[in-house]
Amino acid sequence: MSANINPFHTAQRQLDEAAEMLGLSPTLHAFLREPMQEVAFTIPLQMDDGSHEVFKGFRIQYNTARGPAKGGIRFHADETIDTVRALAAWMTWKTSLVDIPLGGGKGGVICDPRSLTQTEMERLSRGYLRKIAHLIGPEIDVPAPDVYTNPQMMAWMMDEYEVITGRHLPGVITGKPVGLFGSQGRGDATARGGMFTLRETAKVLDLNLAGAPVAIQGYGNAGQYAHLLGSELLGLKTVAISDSRGAIYNPDGIDYQEAVEWKRTTGSVVDFKGADALACQELLELPVTVLLPAALECVITAENAPRVRAKIVGELANGPTTPEADVILHDNGTYVIPDFLCNAGGVTVSYFEQVQNAYNFYWPLEEVHHRLNATMTRAFYEVHEMAQSRQVHNRLAAYLVAVKRVAEAVVLRGWIR
Ligand code: NAD
């Protein structure tokens, strides 16, 4: 992430442009520019050696006009309140774009998860949940995993919530393991949804993706599954991958099983035998057909956007492209699948998980895939057609679709007329 760019300012600037085109009143626009509710707190934690440390946490409910807040929890050393605000805003537009009855929220803890043991991670997860327990619930706000949080942590948090409330309520949190009221298909949903939008992009661009080279920045949940599903569903060839420690490149392709195993055993993609080392920044500028940012915010900026050579940028990460870079990519003819479309598969299946929890009746994997495909394909064409009809880039088109729905709900509720 570029250190000088504030992601919340980016999110607000993106909204401003859409608000003007939609002709929103100044009051409604001002209301949508800020979170409706935010909470910051400390979490004291006993470490394994008996000492104590204090961590800072956040939960933000950005907008609930269209339903309960929905959004992940990020554990990251560089977490800031403005990062959480930006992510919460993008969740609001994302749930609206895929037209599921939810609002947007986000949470986080400032910590370096790699320096915590498994037992410390469990206590921190439970400690975080205790601080937000009174703020969440299936009808209020439903957290989920994000960067450096995972299904096991969601299981601990769900358990902590049930201990506090004394009742069974698995729909309080999503992204749980399948063995503990999670949904089939949630694990790879973000990448799978992204691949569905990539498939449709290839159709509208009349591009053949079979054997086409791909570079993936970030090799966690979204990045690894994109590697696997890009190959399985679209025949793509992943030639470069990176994580927080470095990048690797092999123009003949990187084997998925071997790369994942290497990452699992060594903790990084660095020094993988089947590829050469690459500077992290160079990955973004490789001559590939598809570039998939799947790590953090603000990585494609005005500085490097002119050197991006991919035909398609599929934003699996939230907020990887700054507003200036958006214009440059658009002018250069790069087709950007904007974040809150490209990565909406995660929240879509999280919503399916909530529905299944509420009914206490669980769907087979095929049903999840079928419904996800339908949702992502519909949202893709809404954005694509908006971009064509208003002659704007895809991100602005996505904002026009999403913000209009949220604004309408705010007005219908009578919050602002
Ligand atoms: P994750 O924690 O599983 O993986 C993150 C990966 O990014 C790790 O491999 C990490 O090493 C890498 N990374 C961190 N800093 C990096 C850097 N500077 N350069 C290259 N790689 C770097 O997280 P995730 O769940 O895969 O999330 C990745 C992105 O996708 C985030 O922007 C997240 O908000 C977004 N996202 C995730 C989901 C989901 O369901 N997991 C849904 C929607 C959006």
Side-chain angles (χ1 to χ4, degrees), residues 291-293 313-317 320-321 326 336-339 342-343 395:
L291 172 63
L292 299 175
V313 174
E315 296 182 336
L316 290 170
T321 308
D326 256 331
V336 175
I337 312 173
D339 51 2
C342 190
N343 69 33
R395 188 179 325 279

Side-chain angles (χ1 to χ4, degrees), residues 74 146-148 186 190 219-222 243-244 294-295 316-318 343:
R74 180 178 288 195
D146 192 74
V147 174
Y148 294 139
R186 175 62 183 88
T190 300
Y219 209 55
N221 173 289
D243 61 23
S244 58
L316 290 170
N318 285 305
N343 69 33

Side-chain angles (χ1 to χ4, degrees), residues 84 92 126 206 209 254 279 294 356 394:
V84 186
T92 303
R126 291 182 183 275
D206 200 17
L209 291 181
I254 295 170
Q356 294 169 78
N394 290 335

Side-chain angles (χ1 to χ4, degrees), residues 1 74 76 87 94 106 114 145-149 186 190 217-223 242-246 263 280 294-297 316-318 343-344 346-347:
M1 168 171 57
R74 180 178 288 195
H76 200 280
L87 292 164
K94 192 184 308 188
K106 206 79 183 189
R114 288 173 299 189
D146 192 74
V147 174
Y148 294 139
T149 54
R186 175 62 183 88
T190 300
Q217 184 199 41
Y219 209 55
N221 173 289
S242 70
D243 61 23
S244 58
R245 296 185 193 165
K263 168 93 176 158
C280 277
L296 299 174
E297 312 76 46
L316 290 170
N318 285 305
N343 69 33
V347 75

